[in-house]
């Protein structure tokens, strides 16, 4: 089963444990500045929104790369940057409509989410399940269930009336 | 590891910024943050210094865990001689500023002297310089943060600043970071203002390492599980914040009301955590928008609130209609019960103003409460207040005084003196509810006896965060004791004070100790730091820090006569609730406490105690 990261901003508290886990896994230190996932604060509305690469099927970054440094990990669906091949031209950072590929000046390469090879550290570190790693075909299941419960709200009353 | 091993020294007289190595001998004995910065302050300054003189220093300090993934590991503290108290001050703040300082390569920043003109400090990855702040002088904390980020085109800069309150020398001015987190108590913001230092802006991207990553990841994961599984840290605090306490403490008969005249407030529910969740009839929305975490915190007790748009405080004032830092328990008590006000949105508004202009809502609310009593007995009149009918429960008086105090204008300038100076000025020092000049927080020591001793002996004046025996006496953590009894409280207070001093020196939040004991904390510090760290060594660090602070205060002129409580708590019995008929039994607890501390009957650490702690 292919999985994908699923983000529910309503559950996010802005603790940044995802950024800490991501930077530790990728860089070996705790450093939110080097995280592939980023939590955005919309202070005046009281909203916190984690955001990272959604692993587009027809990935702009992969198509734009002139040296084929971004490839598909068939097992996870992740678009993965090869540190060996990347020349740091940053064309992918222009091509990505969502801004989730970024240049790392320290290494001279671009960095993006690679789903940690199929076991994303951000999802494991999230204390509130704002970030989960679930069936890619059913990312809407929880939301559907909530609305289904509302849609069906009348039938219980009807059943008891007829009993 | 864990320590950045570097100190930034800022000489405001000369305008220079110099790096120096962290004294690792001291780090091994005082850990970091509260303990280590106090050691630096003690070594470098005379305790008799005027808090607002250039000779006083101000230290912003992180702990070794700050910036790591340990839960709540984003704390920093401001250590100086307090403007409100003249005692050692150590004000702790969350948010994201401490983490940024560590990521910029510094364990602490020492400010000395006084700048000839307003400046702010800009730090980027080990590169520090002072920047002219002439244009920012007069700006609020909120505007200062926004304008510094805009000026440097960097929305990720973290800012800690003073508002107008700190500039004008409000005695309990705070230093505010991330819009609504504050080093709130003892007047550290007034010290910063006296140095012409408007703000500290930091951007750090260097990363934080620990000694043994594998052991650290295991220890911090275990710690997070303990927090998640605990009823207080896993459910109560995320749902209601510290405001989970309002109704509980009121029922206990320990909610100081109307300047401690009563111990139960009839309006408690209206300003409680439960009330913040209730949907208003008018617009169907609640005061609470969401809970909010500080850096790395898996508890997330912070409150984000918005005031009803038609409330009198915010009509036609869109800047206050936005979501911002909501009421936590101490603030809700001080702005509400202490003044007899039970209007949730008005208290929220006053809290917003405290954050916007940078002053402590506890001391502010308590001082307004004292002023209301002065007014009701006729010691001050509308002549002094500029026409304000300063009666208990007058919600308009509360919110107007919040704005005036924040700007240091009108009668607000007098409220900005704090209750001790205010009540002395108007001839009734006995009406000031404080210890060592600092106003009480939200627990009446007639209903929670141990807190009386904790307040009387707190090194920074009346404070709940120096020895929170409420945890034991009310919540049963780590074990239940009788809140109305004095027996055994000397040992209880000492144990809480020492453990808390260690936690405050580590870079984590004291709220973890609702669930964590030192047995949970020591493995995290041990994995992060070189050397061997056990619960025993941490307790020893805590006791050492406590005695170091005590010695600073003795040097500053405090004596055992200052380890006391206002007459009201020692002579006037509680009128209602479980503590009805009781006063605080401080005289029964204090001698035992001195003895357990290894102090003389005059409260002075004996030579034997000093040697035992290697002081």
């Amino acid at each position: 089963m292919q999985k994908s990261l699923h983000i529910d901003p309503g559950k996010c508290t802005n603790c940044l444990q995802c950024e800490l886990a991501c930077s530790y896994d990728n860089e070996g230190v705790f450093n939110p500045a080097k995280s592939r996932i980023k939590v955005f604060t919309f202070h005046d509305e009281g909203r916190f929104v984690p955001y990272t690469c959604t692993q587009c099927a027809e990935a702009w970054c992969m198509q734009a790369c002139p040296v084929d440094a971004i490839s598909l990990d068939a097992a996870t669906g992740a678009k993965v940057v090869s540190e060996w091949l990347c020349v740091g031209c940053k064309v992918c950072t222009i091509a990505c409509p969502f801004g989730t590929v970024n240049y790392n000046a320290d290494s001279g390469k671009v960095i993006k989410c690679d789903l940690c090879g199929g076991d994303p550290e951000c999802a494991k570190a999230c204390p509130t399940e704002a970030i989960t790693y679930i069936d890619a075909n059913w990312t809407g299941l929880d939301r559907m269930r909530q609305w289904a419960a509302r849609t069906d709200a009348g039938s219980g009353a009807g059943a008891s009336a007829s009993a | 590891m864990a320590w950045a091993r570097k100190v930034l020294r800022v000489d405001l007289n000369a305008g220079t910024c110099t790096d120096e190595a962290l004294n690792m001998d001291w780090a091994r004995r005082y850990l970091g943050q509260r303990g280590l910065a106090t050691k630096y302050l003690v070594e470098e300054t005379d305790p008799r210094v005027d808090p607002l003189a250039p000779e006083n220093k101000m230290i912003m300090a992180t702990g070794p865990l700050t910036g790591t993934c340990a839960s709540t590991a984003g704390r920093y503290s401001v250590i100086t001689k307090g403007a409100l108290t003249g005692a050692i001050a150590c004000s702790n703040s969350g948010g994201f500023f401490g983490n940024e300082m560590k990521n910029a390569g510094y364990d602490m920043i020492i400010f000395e002297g006084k700048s000839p003109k307003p400046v702010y400090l800009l730090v980027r990855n080990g590169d520090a310089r002072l920047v002219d702040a002439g244009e920012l002088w007069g700006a609020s904390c909120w505007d200062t943060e926004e304008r510094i980020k805009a000026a440097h085109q960097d929305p990720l800069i973290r800012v800690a600043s003073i508002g107008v309150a700190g500039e004008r020398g409000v005695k309990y001015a705070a230093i505010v970071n991330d819009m609504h987190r504050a080093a709130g108590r003892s007047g550290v913001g007034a010290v910063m203002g006296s140095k012409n230092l408007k703000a500290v802006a930091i951007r750090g991207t260097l990363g934080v390492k620990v000694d043994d990553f594998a052991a650290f990841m295991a220890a911090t994961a275990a710690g997070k599980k303990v927090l998640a599984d605990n009823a207080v840290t896993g459910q109560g605090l995320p749902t209601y914040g510290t405001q989970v306490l309002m109704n509980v403490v009121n029922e206990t008969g320990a909610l100081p009301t109307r300047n401690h005249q009563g111990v139960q407030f009839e309006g408690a529910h209206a300003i409680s955590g439960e009330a913040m969740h209730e949907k208003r009839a008018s617009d169907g929305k609640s005061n609470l928008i969401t809970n909010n975490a500080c850096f790395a915190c898996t508890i997330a007790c912070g409150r984000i609130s918005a005031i009803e748009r038609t409330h009198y405080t915010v009509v036609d004032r869109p800047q206050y209609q936005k979501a911002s830092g909501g009421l936590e328990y101490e603030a809700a008590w001080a702005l509400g019960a202490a003044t007899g006000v039970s209007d949730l949105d008005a208290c929220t508004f006053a809290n917003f103003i405290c954050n916007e202009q940078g002053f402590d809502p506890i001391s502010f609310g308590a001082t307004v409460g004292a002023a209301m009593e002065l007014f009701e007995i006729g010691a001050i009149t509308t002549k002094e207040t500029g026409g304000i009918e300063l009666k208990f429960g007058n919600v308009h008086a509360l919110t107007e005084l919040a704005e005036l105090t924040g700007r240091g204008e009108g009668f607000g300038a007098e409220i900005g003196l704090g209750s001790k100076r205010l009540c002395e000025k108007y001839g009734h020092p006995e009406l000031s509810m404080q210890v060592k000049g600092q106003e009480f927080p939200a627990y009446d020591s007639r209903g929670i006896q141990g807190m009386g001793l904790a307040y009387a002996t707190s090194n920074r004046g009346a404070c709940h965060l120096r020895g929170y025996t409420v945890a034991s006496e009310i919540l049963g953590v780590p074990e239940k004791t009788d809140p109305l009894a004095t027996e055994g409280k000397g040992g209880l207070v000492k144990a809480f004070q020492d453990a808390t001093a260690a936690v405050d020196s580590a870079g984590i939040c004291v709220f973890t100790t609702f669930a964590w004991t030192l047995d949970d904390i020591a493995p995290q510090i041990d994995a992060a730091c070189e050397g061997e760290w056990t619960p025993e060594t941490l307790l020893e660090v805590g006791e050492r820090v406590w005695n170091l602070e005590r010695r600073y205060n003795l040097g500053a002129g405090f004596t055992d006569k200052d380890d006391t409580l206002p007459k009201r708590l020692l002579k006037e019995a509680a009128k209602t609730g479980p503590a009805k008929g009781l006063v605080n039994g401080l005289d029964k607890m204090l001698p035992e406490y001195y003895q357990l501390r290894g102090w003389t009957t005059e409260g002075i650490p004996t030579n034997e105690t000093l040697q035992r702690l290697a002081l």
Side-chain angles (χ1 to χ4, degrees), chain B residues 46-51 81 85-88 420 436 459 549-563 602-604:
Chain B
D46 183 335
R48 292 166 297 183
V49 70
D50 173 354
K81 186 174 188 178
T85 56
I88 186 81
K420 180 168 184 274
K436 298 182 177 73
N459 287 328
E549 293 173 338
R550 176 72 176 186
R551 284 218 298 172
Y552 181 93
N553 283 350
L554 292 171
F558 289 93
T559 70
D560 58 326
K561 305 271 187 307
D562 299 296
D563 294 341
E602 284 80 44
I604 298 166

Side-chain angles (χ1 to χ4, degrees), chain B residues 466-489:
Chain B
R466 285 297 171 274
Y468 193 73
T469 62
V470 177
S472 167
E473 296 179 274
I474 303 301
L475 303 171
V477 177
E479 56 192 31
K480 187 78 172 78
T481 53
D482 180 358
L484 303 180
T486 54
E487 292 78 28
K489 293 296 165 65

Side-chain angles (χ1 to χ4, degrees), chain B residues 85-336:
Chain B
T85 56
I88 186 81
C90 174
S91 274
N92 188 307
S93 181
F96 300 84
F97 183 78
N99 156 65
E100 208 70 27
M101 188 193 302
K102 182 68 82 64
N103 264 291
Y106 295 105
D107 294 298
M108 59 173 77
I109 306 174
I110 301 174
F111 295 94
E112 49 193 45
K114 176 184 179 177
S115 173
K117 58 185 174 52
V119 289
Y120 68 91
L121 176 71
L122 178 67
V123 183
R124 281 168 162 154
N125 286 352
D127 174 31
R129 66 187 167 96
L130 291 165
V131 183
D132 184 272
E135 299 271 309
L136 290 173
W137 207 252
S140 70
C141 298
W142 291 358
D143 288 343
T144 299
E145 181 169 336
E146 197 171 287
R147 283 158 66 176
I148 287 177
K149 287 176 177 178
H152 298 284
Q153 295 185 308
D154 188 349
L156 300 177
I157 285 178
R158 302 292 186 182
V159 178
S161 68
I162 56 167
V164 175
E167 296 175 11
R168 295 284 172 88
V170 168
K171 293 291 183 196
Y172 43 84
I175 300 170
V176 174
N177 58 286
D178 301 289
M179 304 296 276
H180 48 74
R181 308 310 310 182
R185 300 224 71 190
S186 311
V188 295
V191 173
M192 186 159 157
S194 76
K195 297 188 173 306
N196 268 334
L197 180 65
K198 178 67 180 173
V200 179
I202 306 184
R203 178 79 174 118
T205 63
L206 298 175
V208 176
K209 294 175 183 162
V210 293
D211 196 39
D212 181 343
F213 270 104
F216 187 72
M217 296 310 282
T220 52
K224 287 169 193 169
K225 185 166 187 321
V226 172
L227 294 176
D229 291 345
N230 179 277
V232 177
T233 52
Q235 292 163 30
L237 286 174
T239 306
Y240 295 111
T242 54
Q243 275 272 64
V244 70
L245 288 163
M246 182 64 76
N247 289 317
V248 175
V249 176
N250 192 42
E251 281 158 27
T252 303
L255 190 71
T257 300
R258 296 181 178 84
N259 201 34
H260 284 69
Q261 293 183 82
V263 294
Q264 290 183 305
F265 181 43
E266 72 284 357
H269 177 78
I271 56 169
S272 69
E274 288 83 349
M276 290 170 74
H277 273 273
E278 286 166 10
K279 288 190 165 47
R280 293 183 285 253
S282 54
D283 61 0
K285 293 177 181 165
S286 57
N287 173 280
L288 183 74
I289 303 292
T290 184
N291 66 326
N292 179 206
C294 295
F295 179 84
C297 175
T298 57
I299 302 172
C301 76
R303 305 289 94 182
I304 300 295
S305 287
I307 297 167
E308 185 177 13
R309 292 185 176 201
T310 54
H311 192 265
Y312 80 89
T313 51
V314 302
V315 170
D316 300 327
R317 303 177 81 186
Q319 71 268 38
Y320 301 117
Q321 293 176 4
K322 301 169 184 171
S324 195
L327 293 166
E328 56 90 39
Y329 171 61
E330 309 297 332
W333 162 78
L335 302 168

